[in-house]
Amino acid sequence: MAGYPDHVLIPFLIWLCSAIAVRILIHRFGAKKDHSKLPPSPPAYPVIGHLHLLSPVTHQAFHKLTTKYGPIIQLYLGSNRCVVVSAPDIAKECLKDNASVFCDRPQPSNAAYMTYDKSDFAMAPYGPYWKFMKRLCMTELLGSKTLDRFGPIREEEVRKLVRLVLQKGLAGEEVNVGAEMIRVTNNNITRMMMGRGWSEDENEAIKIGQMIKEMVQLSAKFNLSDSFWFLKGVDLQQFKKRLELARGNFDAMMEKIMGEREHVRRERKKVGFDAEDHAKNDLLDILLDISEDESSDMKLSRVNIKAFIMNIFGAGTDSSALTVEWAMAELINNPSCMRRARDEIDRVVGNERLVKETDVANLPYLQAIVKETLRLHPTGPLVARRSTHDCVIRGYDIPANTNLFVNLWSIGKDPDHWVEPHVFRPERFMGGKDSKNVEWRGQQFHYMPFGSGTRSCPGASLAMKIIPTCLASLIQCFEWRLSGQEIDCEVTDMEEAGGLTLRKARSLVCVPTLRLPCPPPL
């Protein structure tokens, strides 16, 4: 534990030694033999369990263990019992056949604090409030009609992206693909949620971006106190001040925005309310309407609204941006795939206008690229659930309060379902002997990039509108090369970073060159 100050390290060591002694005494003199049939498990140490077997890239560590011990294994991460699954048929048994058992999520303390003590949608326990929010997401907030209504916003943000990349290309400057995609997705989300995008002030935009990044990263940080019952409430890693500052900054921003909106709503009511104009309002207005509706099935509090908006920022920002970055890295690494994608776009769209969302249905190879990218690089590589009561999976007893991790990263590379699973081959989704007729909604358990079942990602439909169009525009308009190298050079760095989302260890930074005779109308 190098790097921790003595006032943190010494109490922890005392606790650890005491707990080890108690554990050994219980095991030696007082433990009752467990006759249940549990999943196979690697050798564990007292107290820490299997924590020593993990690495910063958790999904890869899980993959290594399930490769050795089988597709379903049991681990103890400190005091927490976990089951890891890496096979599609077992994932189906967990997420579909036993959906009523695995309907809750693990409750890491950092994420719970960020979401106002689970007042949000993503972390909320399964129950009436969660069901209400799920129905609200699927019908009003993220339903197809609402997403279609915000289509012009997404189209405008794609044009902004192309203009920005064009300016940098003409100046010979580098483009950080992931960072620019983060800007696009955050603009889309803020305009959908609150009717406003990033500030035109670059410094303020950077400040907001850093705030959101800090919130997301802190929520995903491994908190040692969560792993040991005897450390509950102890701030060993000194997260408290950072959490308070990050949530405080977000809270101040939201209070300002909500206060301004409430003032506008009061003024609007004074002059009469136009239902037709209301239909054009953003998601914040919809949430405020529901919070003021006395006949609503569930009362939304001010905290619920802020927590839900935090969810949208946290989940919506990464999913689209990371997928486009991984797809561009794969295409630069596979020039023949890039050429085929460009030929398809040139044939269907031409070069006199920018590709649109409505074109995507006529671009099957582009769709295959997105599917293949999500297979190899699922944004959330681990589906996390928590059992609410005992059940049996594949003949093994799974007790209540067990954390379940379904490793989508492993399943996407399962050799029983995918030919040459580590190879980037979009053609596998286009027909042929190893073709996979799959969609992204999680109905087929060998391919479920956004999870499956009751708690699958509600923002998947939004992501699948943003990703193909942004990717197509970057393919259509520009040639791409790494700094100091030739066009179509090989990208050798595909290393993954640790975290709840699947990021590149090093950002994709390229120099774009306009490939069209002239820029399309922007």
Side-chain angles (χ1 to χ4, degrees):
M1 297 181 64
Y4 289 107
D6 289 345
H7 72 277
V8 172
L9 183 58
I10 292 173
F12 171 72
L13 291 176
I14 293 172
W15 260 315
L16 183 61
C17 292
S18 301
I20 290 174
V22 170
R23 181 71 177 265
I24 292 172
L25 288 172
I26 291 174
H27 178 76
R28 175 69 177 83
F29 298 107
K32 294 181 180 179
K33 189 173 182 179
D34 185 358
H35 295 284
S36 59
K37 185 182 179 184
L38 301 173
S41 182
Y45 286 135
V47 182
I48 68 168
H50 300 94
L51 281 173
H52 64 291
L53 298 177
L54 299 190
S55 66
V57 187
T58 307
H59 59 272
Q60 291 186 12
F62 282 167
H63 177 74
K64 185 182 295 185
L65 290 171
T66 52
T67 299
K68 182 175 181 179
Y69 293 98
I72 177 171
I73 62 172
Q74 177 179 269
L75 301 175
Y76 274 96
L77 305 183
S79 308
N80 299 319
R81 185 200 301 264
C82 306
V83 167
V84 180
V85 167
S86 64
D89 53 342
I90 307 178
K92 176 179 177 293
E93 195 171 341
C94 294
L95 300 178
K96 183 177 181 180
D97 302 343
N98 287 277
S100 61
V101 176
F102 295 103
C103 56
D104 268 347
R105 289 190 186 276
Q107 303 291 331
S109 56
N110 285 13
Y113 181 85
M114 275 296 183
T115 54
Y116 297 85
D117 194 23
K118 298 166 283 189
S119 299
D120 64 330
F121 171 56
M123 296 289 294
Y126 186 78
Y129 169 73
W130 184 88
K131 292 177 183 178
F132 173 77
M133 289 302 298
K134 174 80 170 184
R135 185 169 67 252
L136 191 63
C137 281
M138 295 296 98
T139 55
E140 295 193 53
L141 295 172
L142 297 173
S144 57
K145 289 184 179 179
T146 302
L147 294 183
D148 289 345
R149 178 153 55 90
F150 290 118
I153 289 176
R154 296 190 296 273
E155 188 174 304
E156 183 179 343
E157 291 304 324
V158 171
R159 291 197 298 270
K160 286 182 181 178
L161 171 67
V162 173
R163 282 199 295 267
L164 186 145
V165 174
L166 177 61
Q167 291 170 2
K168 293 201 171 193
L170 293 175
E173 297 177 1
E174 297 176 335
V175 171
N176 184 319
V177 175
E180 297 308 332
M181 279 305 306
I182 289 286
R183 183 187 294 268
V184 171
T185 53
N186 271 328
N187 260 339
N188 272 306
I189 290 167
T190 52
R191 293 181 68 182
M192 283 177 57
M193 289 298 305
M194 297 171 286
R196 56 198 288 179
W198 289 84
S199 169
E200 295 300 321
D201 183 335
E202 184 68 17
N203 290 329
E204 186 176 348
I206 291 172
K207 182 179 177 181
I208 295 172
Q210 289 173 341
M211 177 188 68
I212 294 170
K213 182 179 179 180
E214 174 76 352
M215 286 164 41
V216 173
Q217 289 183 346
L218 270 177
S219 295
K221 286 280 188 183
F222 173 72
N223 193 329
L224 194 62
S225 299
D226 293 336
S227 296
F228 303 98
W229 60 266
F230 53 89
L231 294 179
K232 186 174 182 178
V234 180
D235 188 22
L236 281 174
Q237 292 153 280
Q238 309 208 344
F239 283 135
K240 184 178 179 181
K241 287 184 179 179
R242 292 178 61 190
L243 288 165
E244 289 175 346
L245 180 61
R247 198 181 78 177
N249 288 338
F250 174 80
D251 198 79
M253 180 185 77
M254 286 307 307
E255 283 295 332
K256 181 175 182 292
I257 291 170
M258 292 174 71
E260 292 171 353
R261 178 59 53 83
E262 287 162 341
H263 174 73
V264 169
R265 288 166 64 87
R266 286 192 296 270
E267 294 300 310
R268 188 170 59 187
K269 287 179 180 178
K270 289 179 182 179
V271 298
F273 184 74
D274 190 328
E276 184 178 347
D277 285 343
H278 178 255
K280 301 174 184 177
N281 286 342
D282 52 46
L283 302 186
L284 178 57
D285 256 334
I286 296 175
L287 290 166
L288 289 171
D289 282 345
I290 295 168
S291 72
E292 296 169 3
D293 184 1
E294 297 298 332
S295 64
S296 177
D297 295 344
M298 187 72 61
K299 183 71 173 177
L300 281 186
S301 69
R302 196 176 189 82
V303 166
N304 291 143
I305 293 174
K306 289 187 285 190
F308 177 79
I309 292 175
M310 185 178 288
N311 280 169
I312 297 296
F313 272 124
T317 298
D318 276 358
S319 58
S320 302
L322 294 178
T323 301
V324 172
E325 184 180 21
W326 279 114
M328 286 297 296
E330 290 286 5
L331 289 172
I332 295 173
N333 206 24
N334 295 272
S336 62
C337 296
M338 178 75 89
R339 285 193 292 270
R340 181 169 175 178
R342 283 176 179 150
D343 290 345
E344 180 182 70
I345 294 170
D346 288 347
R347 185 174 64 255
V348 173
V349 179
N351 57 18
E352 294 183 356
R353 66 173 177 86
L354 192 61
V355 64
K356 297 181 179 180
E357 277 186 13
T358 52
D359 295 316
V360 172
N362 299 316
L363 299 170
Y365 192 70
L366 175 73
Q367 296 177 53
I369 289 170
V370 174
K371 287 182 177 180
E372 180 72 340
T373 302
L374 288 168
R375 178 186 73 84
L376 286 169
H377 313 286
T379 306
L382 297 173
V383 169
R385 300 285 188 272
R386 188 171 179 84
S387 61
T388 55
H389 50 276
D390 298 350
C391 68
V392 176
I393 299 294
R394 196 47 55 96
Y396 296 114
D397 296 322
I398 309 298
N401 299 317
T402 297
N403 290 337
L404 169 72
F405 296 103
V406 178
N407 195 341
L408 302 186
W409 189 86
S410 289
I411 289 174
K413 299 168 182 61
D414 183 355
D416 292 336
H417 285 84
W418 306 101
V419 176
E420 295 185 298
H422 293 277
V423 176
F424 181 77
R425 185 194 292 167
E427 292 79 6
R428 73 175 78 245
F429 293 99
M430 299 267 311
K433 64 180 182 179
D434 64 336
S435 169
K436 295 294 180 183
N437 183 23
V438 298
E439 44 80 39
W440 46 265
R441 291 178 176 82
Q443 301 304 308
Q444 297 129 311
F445 289 85
H446 58 278
Y447 186 78
M448 44 177 175
F450 297 100
S452 182
T454 307
R455 300 197 78 140
S456 59
C457 177
S461 295
L462 174 60
M464 292 304 287
K465 287 184 177 294
I466 294 174
I467 293 167
T469 316
C470 287
L471 179 61
S473 69
L474 297 179
I475 295 170
Q476 178 191 26
C477 297
F478 304 101
E479 301 278 1
W480 297 87
R481 64 176 175 83
L482 297 181
S483 298
Q485 300 185 34
E486 299 300 322
I487 293 174
D488 285 346
C489 68
E490 184 177 6
V491 175
T492 57
D493 179 11
M494 301 294 280
E495 184 181 348
E496 299 170 347
L500 292 183
T501 53
L502 186 53
R503 299 176 178 275
K504 290 183 90 276
R506 284 166 286 279
S507 299
L508 178 66
V509 180
C510 300
V511 177
T513 304
L514 183 68
R515 63 173 291 268
L516 302 178
C518 61
L522 300 175

